[in-house]
Amino acid sequence: MTVAISPPQTAQDILQRARDIAPLLRENAAEIENNRHLPPHVVSLLREAGVFRAAMPKAWGGPELTSLQQTELVETLAAGDVSAAWCSMIAMDSGIYSGYLHEDAAREIYPDLDMANSGWIYPQGRAERVPGGYRVTGQWRFGSGSTHCDVLVGGCTVYKDGEPEADPVTGEARQWRVMVARPEQYEITDTWFTTGLAGSGSRDYQVTDLFVPEEHSFSFHSPRRGGPLHAAPDAILRKMSGVPLGMARAAIDHVRDMAEHRVDRETGTAWASDVRIQTAVAKADMELTAARNNVYATLSTQWQALESGIEPTPTERVSTALARYHAFRTGRQIVQSLYDLVGGASVYTKKSPLDRWLRDANTMCQHAVAQDSILQLTGNVLLGGKSQSPFF
């Protein structure tokens, strides 16, 4: 007889289930990578653990995790498998996006709490305004989780009568809206042959002349739901730091486990007694702790300010973005240093997870949040300039 697993109701329940399945994700890491997208049984693990419902509102019966709790959830999953955590980080945007839609439309698009989201929000597509909505044409990259998602979005620039339409909220010359549809309405192309994050299935997808009703689109400038998850548009980015943090923790723990039984080939010294190994492991742990504390401290300060409605200072506006950039770069640095420390044994794909972690680290650091342009954009704000990013 099959025993039904009740869905988790609280943040504590979801985090505990994530801890429980992290070893299973680690066991399936090779299959996830070789498959080049999450296998159905892994998707089921994540769905049953409540990962996809993490940001769903309490008014709907969801757990509505804070940004800090979402980050911890992603971090826990990343210690198991990085691609699974990456897809989860994006899938749980369901609850966030639902708060930018009118209630009836949100309920129609997300009839179930455990629905996974995917899609590239930046305006790569074109949405021509027509009666009742838009005719959408475009091609988007990086559809992480597009192979198993329930909802697939695409960012568009809005046009009216062939000309860009101004944003009614900001007055900017171009209006950016996100179009929400089902994955079967797009053509998804398997382009995901990459260095790392191979299991994320981040494929290209495209559509021509798809009608999207007005109520099935949204602007980050016009939230329909209150609270800290919608008081600033960067909520979809806040949890991203969990991926490199969890990856780096897994790498450090892996090397610590190795040290229990490994002996240096040249000197015959046990790794656990080798000053070189001791120093390298301590340095990696120190760097991870510093990066992690920075992430959670800035998220906590931001959350408290958003809860109270206090206008953030320029430093507070960019601090989470800088902490996120630093977490990605530090995560990669830690994995690279440990890869070098282990030496030749690191290069064997089927024997060493360090090989996969290094490739994952390099691929994730190509995301916009980990690029050096973040330093320029945030530095401009710190020096009194106007933000050039909608997210801080």
Side-chain angles (χ1 to χ4, degrees):
M1 184 177 77
T2 302
V3 178
I5 301 175
S6 60
Q9 302 298 320
T10 66
Q12 289 70 27
D13 290 341
I14 295 175
L15 286 166
Q16 184 55 55
R17 291 202 189 182
R19 296 183 194 104
D20 292 342
I21 68 170
L24 299 176
L25 296 176
R26 194 173 304 119
E27 290 174 9
N28 285 276
E31 180 188 358
I32 292 171
E33 178 168 60
N34 293 334
N35 204 44
R36 295 190 303 105
H37 63 268
L38 300 189
H41 67 93
V42 171
V43 176
S44 294
L45 271 178
L46 297 169
R47 198 184 301 273
E48 291 168 4
V51 172
F52 301 161
R53 66 168 53 199
M56 283 295 187
K58 291 180 179 178
W60 289 11
E64 199 171 337
L65 272 62
T66 68
S67 294
L68 286 84
Q69 292 167 334
Q70 291 177 37
T71 305
E72 184 179 356
L73 174 58
V74 173
E75 182 182 11
T76 302
L77 297 171
D81 181 73
V82 178
S83 287
W86 189 270
C87 287
S88 298
M89 175 265 296
I90 293 169
M92 67 180 72
D93 284 337
S94 297
I96 297 173
Y97 290 161
S98 70
Y100 286 93
L101 298 161
H102 286 289
E103 182 73 7
D104 290 346
R107 291 282 195 171
E108 177 187 350
I109 293 167
Y110 301 104
D112 185 272
L113 294 179
D114 297 300
M115 298 182 71
N117 236 99
S118 178
W120 182 249
I121 60 170
Y122 284 95
Q124 297 295 115
R126 178 187 180 109
E128 187 74 33
R129 185 177 290 281
V130 296
Y134 307 91
R135 288 288 177 185
V136 177
T137 297
Q139 181 171 355
W140 299 265
R141 297 184 297 166
F142 308 125
S144 301
S146 57
T147 56
H148 65 261
C149 71
D150 302 292
V151 177
L152 185 56
V153 306
C156 289
T157 298
V158 177
Y159 287 78
K160 184 177 182 181
D161 299 327
E163 297 294 330
E165 184 177 84
D167 191 300
V169 177
T170 66
E172 295 174 358
R174 293 178 181 270
Q175 181 182 173
W176 169 20
R177 290 187 75 80
V178 179
M179 304 292 150
V180 185
R182 301 292 181 205
E184 60 267 22
Q185 293 177 281
Y186 298 88
E187 178 186 349
I188 300 176
T189 308
D190 186 3
T191 54
W192 196 241
F193 298 89
T194 57
T195 303
L197 291 177
S200 67
S202 305
R203 300 177 177 183
D204 287 12
Y205 58 105
Q206 62 186 22
V207 73
T208 301
D209 203 31
L210 172 68
F211 176 72
V212 176
E214 174 75 32
E215 61 271 18
H216 288 196
S217 71
F218 67 86
S219 165
F220 284 109
H221 297 304
S222 303
R224 306 291 180 179
R225 189 181 296 149
L229 283 182
H230 295 91
D234 71 327
I236 60 172
L237 304 180
R238 296 174 201 162
K239 59 194 179 306
M240 291 186 72
S241 300
V243 180
L245 294 178
M247 174 193 66
R249 170 48 59 198
I252 293 171
D253 290 347
H254 172 71
V255 173
R256 290 178 65 183
D257 289 342
M258 286 182 64
E260 293 181 7
H261 54 78
R262 187 166 179 174
V263 175
D264 186 271
R265 184 175 56 194
E266 302 296 333
T267 65
T269 304
W271 262 36
S273 303
D274 191 317
V275 173
R276 179 176 67 92
I277 306 302
Q278 294 169 343
T279 302
V281 170
K283 184 172 184 289
D285 206 87
M286 172 188 69
E287 290 170 345
L288 176 57
T289 299
R292 187 176 189 275
N293 288 346
N294 190 21
V295 166
Y296 284 98
T298 56
L299 285 174
S300 178
T301 298
Q302 180 194 43
W303 190 265
Q304 292 173 28
L306 293 173
E307 272 191 318
S308 61
I310 298 173
E311 183 68 26
T313 65
T315 299
E316 290 170 341
R317 283 171 56 197
V318 303
S319 61
T320 54
L322 287 171
R324 187 162 50 244
Y325 168 91
H326 185 244
F328 273 80
R329 293 303 186 96
T330 300
R332 179 170 65 178
Q333 177 183 320
I334 288 170
V335 172
Q336 178 69 72
S337 68
L338 296 176
Y339 184 93
D340 292 342
L341 182 71
V342 172
S346 297
V347 306
Y348 293 98
T349 302
K350 294 183 179 181
K351 294 182 179 180
S352 174
L354 283 166
D355 172 80
R356 182 174 60 254
W357 286 325
L358 183 59
R359 288 183 285 106
D360 287 343
N362 277 301
T363 297
M364 73 174 70
C365 280
Q366 304 318 304
H367 193 282
V369 300
Q371 294 293 295
D372 284 342
S373 58
I374 292 296
L375 299 178
Q376 184 274 317
L377 291 168
T378 54
N380 176 51
V381 173
L382 290 173
L383 294 175
K386 181 180 178 182
S387 175
Q388 301 300 309
S389 169
F391 296 114
F392 51 80

